Amino acid sequence: MKTIINNTIKALVAVIFMTCFAACSDDNVSNLQLSGDCSIEALTLDEYEGQIDFNSRTVTVNLPETYDTQAMSVTELRLSEGASANIQKGQTVNMEGVQNIHVTNGDLFLDWKLVAKRDEAKIYSFIINDVYNGIINQDMKTITVYVPGDVDLTSLVPSIECSEGAVCQPLNGVAQDFTRPLIYTVTNGTAQTQYTITVFAIDKPKAVFVGNASTMNDLDPEAQAACSWMLANIEKSLYASFADIQSETVDLSECAVIWWHFHYDGGVDGHDQFMTKAPYALDAKNQLRSYYENGGAFFLTRYATNLPSFIGATGDDEWTTPNNCWGQNEADAELCGGPWDFKMYHGQSSHPLWQGLVAGDDPNAVYTTDAGYHITNSTAQYHIGTDWGGYDNHEAWETRTGGKILGVGGDGSVVAWEYPAHDGKGGIICIGSGCYDWYSYTFEAGYTERFHKNVAIITQNAFNYLSK
């Protein structure tokens, strides 16, 4: 019986072998044509020759600065031998956007991108000594930079970011004398733009971003992104360390607003942790309190919202700091699957802080992120409830703290609030919502900024409001 079974198995193996041999014989070779090439060897639009990048399969046609690209003629198209494409020589194409070229050769195919790129000559970033950001006005072609009064203007080194392929004169990274306005010329093909650069040394800033580092370049990425925005958008603004404030090396006599955006990986959970993790701020609290009591305003965001209790803005009760705090690390920040938001507190939709925002489906929501953004969700808020430190309800919170609620989370937690100016003291705006975030360590494919613009809009509103 065993012999019969073995013989049967051998027979089956032989049949399978012969079948496979027949399937692979010359008489059964596939009819697929795989010997051709699907390259674009030359392409011109309106006689402008395209630059071919075989690695990215992209053809880029460089055009004059103001060239009309809506109806361009394919004046030359040369493909690999035997290949064809979905566009032909003589065809008219609209090059306002990227065109896809599908090249086939027998049973092979490749997709190429055709891009029309106008010459552009712009400066997008101008930073003095790697610290002081220029405020760029693209309409007026001016760049204004504010530096502290003790900076030597005769030898300042600019770091410049221009349009791709553009050349700037004077050259990037070369020290210049900025005691007078200088002209920088950017050239790229047919495009040329001249910018007037003016550097002001100011002894008395109008606004200050404060942090623990000696320079803004040593700040964490979240605070650095916020500070960079301020220096580029708020006139006569400077960065200063808490040590500068404590030693009074910065003249605050004309400063309208001090902004502190305090990030700490892993969070700052309440009063005691704040004292441990921000001792440098408390070292300067006497100077900060004097500034506040003499009419100076504060914009305090993230864990900086603990500060008002230490400078007398909530009476002498230091224990009125946010009672519900947490946060993640920048390196493993949470991915936003869609826009995050908090709500305007009832009756506060007309507050200046919420004006001009990019609106979403909920008219009462303040949307601040978009899908594909990574956020630490760093939060310093007040939970409202009978067992949460005497904040039984919103009215009890306002009575104890002296603040006015501007925004709440989905569970009613206080996430944005104000200590109004009174009796000669300055006003304070606080935002402790995790939705208020400046820095994403990376962006997912397809990320498009829409609602995240609201972070900058809110910040500009805060400066406008507090500076009055």
Side-chain angles (χ1 to χ4, degrees):
M1 182 68 178
K2 184 176 180 180
T3 302
I4 296 173
I5 293 174
N6 287 338
N7 289 336
T8 302
I9 293 174
K10 291 178 180 178
L12 288 172
V13 171
V15 170
I16 293 171
F17 177 80
M18 293 301 295
T19 302
C20 292
F21 179 80
C24 297
S25 69
D26 291 340
D27 293 334
N28 291 277
V29 172
S30 169
N31 290 324
L32 291 174
Q33 301 301 310
L34 304 175
S35 61
D37 190 5
C38 298
S39 295
I40 296 177
E41 298 180 349
L43 190 153
T44 62
L45 295 176
D46 290 358
E47 304 300 337
Y48 290 97
E49 182 178 355
Q51 304 300 311
I52 300 173
D53 185 330
F54 291 95
N55 291 325
S56 63
R57 295 202 300 276
T58 302
V59 182
T60 304
V61 180
N62 293 306
L63 302 169
E65 185 177 16
T66 59
Y67 200 86
D68 185 358
T69 62
Q70 294 186 30
M72 299 190 70
S73 176
V74 181
T75 50
E76 182 182 3
L77 178 61
R78 189 168 71 250
L79 307 173
S80 304
E81 183 177 354
S84 61
N86 60 331
I87 66 170
Q88 291 81 41
K89 181 178 179 180
Q91 183 175 335
T92 299
V93 291
N94 185 339
M95 291 306 304
E96 286 296 297
V98 177
Q99 291 289 337
N100 182 67
I101 303 178
H102 187 73
V103 181
T104 60
N105 198 340
D107 292 297
L108 293 176
F109 68 88
L110 282 178
D111 287 322
W112 293 70
K113 291 180 179 179
L114 176 60
V115 180
K117 186 177 179 182
R118 297 183 183 91
D119 293 340
E120 181 186 80
K122 290 184 178 180
I123 292 177
Y124 286 105
S125 175
F126 193 96
I127 304 175
I128 292 289
N129 290 0
D130 292 327
V131 176
Y132 309 108
N133 287 35
I135 301 173
I136 302 176
N137 186 321
Q138 296 290 5
D139 294 329
M140 301 298 294
K141 301 298 183 287
T142 61
I143 300 177
T144 305
V145 189
Y146 298 101
V147 301
D150 59 355
V151 172
D152 180 11
L153 301 187
T154 64
S155 183
L156 300 178
V157 180
S159 298
I160 309 168
E161 291 184 10
C162 299
S163 304
E164 183 180 357
V167 176
C168 186
Q169 288 290 341
L171 294 175
N172 178 34
V174 177
Q176 302 291 334
D177 182 350
F178 283 95
T179 54
R180 66 190 189 286
L182 294 184
I183 302 296
Y184 272 69
T185 302
V186 185
T187 304
N188 188 7
T190 62
Q192 186 176 88
T193 306
Q194 289 189 327
Y195 290 84
T196 301
I197 318 296
T198 307
V199 179
F200 292 99
I202 53 175
D203 295 314
K204 299 178 180 181
K206 298 293 185 182
V208 167
F209 189 102
V210 67
N212 65 314
S214 58
T215 71
M216 68 161 286
N217 288 339
D218 296 320
L219 293 170
D220 62 88
E222 173 70 27
Q224 192 174 123
C227 182
S228 295
W229 179 90
M230 187 195 79
L231 296 179
N233 291 275
I234 303 300
E235 188 178 59
K236 294 186 177 181
S237 62
L238 291 177
Y239 173 80
S241 68
F242 281 103
D244 293 331
I245 301 296
Q246 183 183 6
S247 63
E248 299 182 357
T249 56
V250 177
D251 188 339
L252 299 177
S253 61
E254 295 183 10
C255 180
V257 183
I258 292 177
W259 180 16
W260 183 22
H261 183 62
F262 178 27
H263 171 77
Y264 195 99
D265 270 354
V268 178
D269 191 8
H271 176 277
D272 290 349
Q273 281 200 17
F274 178 76
M275 294 185 68
T276 300
K277 295 178 178 179
Y280 43 81
L282 299 184
D283 288 343
K285 74 174 184 179
N286 290 336
Q287 290 76 20
L288 295 172
R289 183 166 188 157
S290 176
Y291 165 80
Y292 165 66
E293 290 178 344
N294 284 286
F298 285 95
F299 182 45
L300 303 173
T301 49
R302 198 160 285 190
Y303 305 118
T305 55
N306 285 273
L307 185 63
S309 298
F310 292 89
I311 61 172
T314 61
D316 292 324
D317 186 358
E318 291 186 356
W319 290 94
T320 51
T321 53
N323 63 0
N324 191 206
C325 311
W326 65 85
Q328 297 171 334
N329 298 334
E330 289 288 2
D332 53 7
E334 184 175 352
L335 174 63
C336 295
W340 286 25
D341 71 275
F342 58 93
K343 311 298 180 184
M344 303 174 201
Y345 189 55
H346 60 78
Q348 293 298 331
S349 61
S350 61
H351 192 281
L353 197 63
W354 310 135
Q355 303 312 300
L357 300 180
V358 179
D361 294 336
D362 182 353
N364 196 49
V366 179
Y367 296 96
T368 60
T369 70
D370 301 282
Y373 185 93
H374 287 261
I375 190 170
T376 62
N377 193 20
S378 297
T379 299
Q381 64 181 19
Y382 290 88
H383 187 87
I384 302 299
T386 56
D387 58 343
W388 285 78
Y391 307 120
D392 294 358
N393 50 50
H394 290 135
E395 291 74 18
W397 181 90
E398 291 189 334
T399 298
R400 181 177 175 188
T401 65
K404 183 169 70 173
I405 301 171
L406 303 180
V408 295
D411 62 352
S413 295
V414 178
V415 301
W417 60 98
E418 172 185 9
Y419 302 103
H422 65 95
D423 301 325
K425 299 178 180 179
I428 302 176
I429 292 286
C430 294
I431 300 179
S433 170
C435 297
Y436 183 88
D437 193 282
W438 279 94
Y439 172 79
S440 176
Y441 75 92
T442 188
F443 299 93
E444 296 299 300
Y447 171 79
T448 301
E449 183 177 75
R450 181 188 177 195
F451 294 119
H452 188 249
K453 296 176 183 177
N454 283 336
V455 174
I457 295 172
I458 292 168
T459 304
Q460 183 70 67
N461 288 344
F463 272 93
N464 294 342
Y465 176 67
L466 293 169
S467 297
K468 292 181 179 179

